[in-house]
Amino acid sequence: MFLLDVVLGLLMGKKKSTFSPEAIVDQLFIGLKKILQSLIILLICSVLLCILLGYLIDRTLNLLDNQNLHLSNSIILLIVLIVVDLALIFWSLQKINEKPQTHQKEETRVKTSGSPIESAVAALIFDFVKERESKRVEEVREKL
């Protein structure tokens, strides 16, 4: 309902548009790109974490079966790889949660003109809206 109110307000001329649709689309794509990159990193790191934990458990159980449980080089390597993998997961999660940066490119962007058909349709709509507003103003004056 709020969106409908905003759209109708813009069409009726109550509010002036202070944003450009291209800037909104650019921001959406930047956010979507950042989220997708982080999700791909999270997926790969999660699979790698499961594999490393499986190897660690397997190696530990093999040493336990041989009654020779000690901190071997393979177990140390697996633990280091698991810690690195967890660090990547936490980094990726922080990358998702960080605030977006404002881009100077949008402020310096020169507006390009649309197609002639878009301009003509926009002019027709603008004339219709202005005509409706003038009729409403006349009706209000007549009632007073």
Side-chain angles (χ1 to χ4, degrees):
M1 202 62 187
F2 175 74
L3 182 61
L4 183 62
D5 184 43
V6 170
V7 170
L8 288 177
L10 289 173
L11 289 177
M12 299 310 251
K14 293 179 183 175
K15 298 177 185 174
K16 291 187 179 180
S17 176
T18 59
F19 58 86
S20 116
E22 294 89 16
I24 294 173
V25 170
D26 288 344
Q27 287 296 322
L28 286 174
F29 280 136
I30 289 169
L32 185 63
K33 180 182 173 185
K34 186 169 69 169
I35 289 172
L36 285 177
Q37 285 175 344
S38 296
L39 286 176
I40 290 170
I41 291 171
L42 283 173
L43 178 69
I44 292 170
C45 288
S46 297
V47 169
L48 189 60
L49 181 68
C50 291
I51 291 170
L52 290 173
L53 284 174
Y55 282 142
L56 179 66
I57 292 169
D58 182 49
R59 186 67 184 144
T60 305
L61 289 176
N62 281 339
L63 289 175
L64 189 62
D65 286 342
N66 294 336
Q67 295 177 355
N68 189 13
L69 185 60
H70 64 282
L71 206 56
S72 67
N73 291 336
S74 62
I75 290 179
I76 293 173
L77 177 66
L78 287 171
I79 290 173
V80 168
L81 289 175
I82 288 172
V83 169
V84 169
D85 191 47
L86 287 174
L88 279 173
I89 289 173
F90 288 126
W91 172 77
S92 179
L93 288 173
Q94 284 185 345
K95 187 177 175 184
I96 290 175
N97 291 332
E98 71 185 15
K99 292 183 180 179
Q101 300 174 352
T102 58
H103 297 283
Q104 300 297 338
K105 178 179 79 171
E106 296 164 2
E107 295 175 8
T108 60
R109 181 185 300 170
V110 177
K111 261 192 162 178
T112 59
S113 61
S115 70
I117 294 174
E118 288 178 353
S119 300
V121 171
L124 285 173
I125 292 173
F126 184 75
D127 288 340
F128 176 76
V129 168
K130 287 295 180 183
E131 184 180 29
R132 295 269 305 171
E133 282 180 356
S134 65
K135 285 181 182 179
R136 269 193 240 128
V137 168
E138 289 177 292
E139 288 176 7
V140 169
R141 286 184 184 165
E142 290 175 3
K143 289 181 180 179
L144 293 177

